[in-house]
Amino acid sequence: MQTVALICGITGQDGALLARFLLEKGYRVWGTSRNADTASTANLVSIGIADRITLVSMDPEIGADVIKVIRDSQAVEIYHLAAQSSVGRSFERPVETVSGIVLGTLNVLEAVRTLGNNARVFVAGSGECFGDTGQEAADETTPFNPGSPYAVAKASAYWLTRNYRESYGLFACTGLLFNHESPLRPERFVTQKILRAAKRISDGSGERLRLGRLDIQRDWGWAPEYVEAMWRMLQHADPEDFVIATGSTHPLREFVAEAFAAFGLDWEQHVTEAPELYRPSDILLSCANPEKARRLLGWKAKFSMRDVVRLMTDSLAGEA
Ligand code: NAP
């Protein structure tokens, strides 16, 4: 009998990459989309696994949906990734963002508790929960200071997960994930927006790229490595929360410079900082300390921000 893993939110970047990783490990993979009939399976198709997974509909906000899918799949590992995942968009759609993340997480935890099936649960948390860290890198003991509807919702999901672990003994844990990228990132995220614009400009589009704050600093990693960390968290003897990050923080300006240089361009000739694109509040400095993951999970990011730019650029260059 193959072990079944259920990925809630399989059509997204991490869902597709995690599905590939688990298939390679020999799992049977079930995955959910809010509407399996109309879902975009582009990510699953692009990495060649669309026909190797069982795709079902599940709205994480509807408890009966969640119970049915968890029961039918007989999953022993559940990866709850489904979310409106953009910080910027969470300021425009706070209700959708917060209700999806908080109710969705609660429904998954409550389903596992009531079914009593002992499934292990990974919940995708976020480094955004820490807010502005200053130079003090955030670890698992750092208090939260969320600065967006998205981060507030993720903080709530973290506490729900911890509460179900401590109150009912569920094997449920949160990965406090810092930014991680891949060619599967949609263009509404800044890394992909920058790289795609640089490519178009190098192809002669003549456009100018307008970005929000260039002085923000983030820890950017390579998404395929982060999905392995999720899996390792569920193989660990005890359910614990982990910061998952590279441990290196870079200004966005540096990411932009690297990205444009990869296409042989000087970014300063092509990029404008546009104050109207600033968010209502933004984290200036986001630093992470992933030492616990290295120590207990044997997980350490191998790819740096520069590698991420190179790998995403290579992928874009391969597109028609
Ligand atoms: P993504 O590409 O945006 O995928 C999100 C998935 O959630 C999609 O499969 C989508 O599926 C579903 N979804 C979208 N809006 C939803 C809503 N309102 N309610 C319920 N489901 C919704 O995200 P990702 O980059 O793979 O990230 C995976 C998880 O990690 C997310 O929870 C994200 O917040 C978290 N995270 C990501 C990063 C990062 O850098 N990538 C960093 C920290 C945390 P359908 O549209 O098919 O239903």
Side-chain angles (χ1 to χ4, degrees):
M1 276 274 282
Q2 273 177 302
T3 308
V4 180
L6 171 67
I7 302 174
C8 307
I10 199 168
T11 60
Q13 167 187 266
D14 291 2
L17 294 171
L18 177 62
R20 180 175 67 185
F21 176 84
L22 293 173
L23 286 167
E24 282 165 5
K25 287 245 168 255
Y27 284 76
R28 254 185 74 203
V29 175
W30 280 50
T32 76
S33 162
R34 284 164 298 167
N35 187 334
D37 298 326
T38 58
S40 165
T41 53
N43 284 339
L44 299 165
V45 170
S46 76
I47 58 172
I49 58 165
D51 55 357
R52 295 180 60 203
I53 56 150
T54 303
L55 182 65
V56 293
S57 293
M58 183 191 96
D59 183 339
E61 290 191 51
I62 300 175
D65 262 23
V66 179
I67 289 179
K68 180 175 174 3
V69 169
I70 291 180
R71 196 178 41 220
D72 290 354
S73 67
Q74 299 187 348
V76 298
E77 292 177 16
I78 299 170
Y79 297 86
H80 181 51
L81 312 182
Q84 190 298 98
S85 67
S86 152
V87 175
R89 193 178 273 186
S90 82
F91 286 105
E92 292 152 21
R93 299 186 191 174
V95 176
E96 177 195 331
T97 305
V98 174
S99 71
I101 291 173
V102 178
L103 282 182
T105 305
L106 183 54
N107 280 329
V108 170
L109 294 166
E110 187 58 5
V112 173
R113 182 183 78 82
T114 52
L115 289 169
N117 61 5
N118 293 323
R120 294 186 168 200
V121 181
F122 169 88
V123 174
S126 172
E128 292 281 326
C129 293
F130 296 114
D132 213 314
T133 59
Q135 297 293 344
E136 193 77 22
D139 67 15
E140 295 76 5
T141 64
T142 305
F144 287 168
N145 183 20
S148 64
Y150 170 81
V152 170
K154 287 290 185 185
S156 215
Y158 165 90
W159 283 111
L160 284 167
T161 305
R162 198 163 150 177
N163 181 251
Y164 269 65
R165 180 167 79 221
E166 291 170 358
S167 304
Y168 305 115
L170 257 62
F171 193 112
C173 41
T174 299
L176 293 159
L177 312 168
F178 282 68
N179 296 54
H180 47 281
E181 317 296 317
S182 80
L184 304 189
R185 263 298 212 194
E187 201 169 338
R188 66 173 181 277
F189 290 90
V190 72
T191 49
Q192 191 70 285
K193 179 176 173 180
I194 292 163
L195 283 157
R196 287 192 175 272
K199 178 171 192 298
R200 287 194 302 271
I201 292 166
S202 78
D203 289 343
S205 72
E207 70 195 271
R208 252 196 114 67
L209 173 62
R210 299 169 69 73
L211 294 172
R213 296 186 73 125
L214 291 172
D215 58 348
I216 59 161
Q217 301 195 43
R218 292 289 183 274
D219 181 315
W220 283 289
W222 181 234
E225 298 195 292
Y226 286 54
V227 300
E228 176 169 352
M230 297 174 189
W231 174 76
R232 286 189 184 220
M233 283 177 63
L234 293 197
Q235 314 314 307
H236 188 52
D238 302 309
E240 294 187 41
D241 306 314
F242 289 89
V243 164
I244 305 297
T246 69
S248 289
T249 291
H250 301 270
L252 182 63
R253 187 176 273 105
E254 199 179 315
F255 189 102
V256 175
E258 286 285 328
F260 276 74
F263 288 94
L265 299 167
D266 173 3
W267 73 277
E268 290 183 276
Q269 312 281 320
H270 305 284
V271 179
T272 303
E273 183 167 318
E276 70 274 15
L277 295 180
Y278 288 5
R279 290 171 180 169
S281 74
D282 217 337
I283 296 174
L284 280 184
L285 185 51
S286 173
C287 296
N289 175 1
E291 172 57 20
K292 182 182 171 189
R294 190 197 61 73
R295 199 164 30 86
L296 296 188
L297 303 178
W299 182 90
K300 190 173 187 307
K302 295 183 195 72
F303 293 102
S304 66
M305 179 275 274
R306 284 191 185 84
D307 296 321
V308 170
V309 170
R310 176 177 50 78
L311 290 161
M312 289 178 75
T313 307
D314 289 351
S315 162
L316 278 179
E319 286 181 11

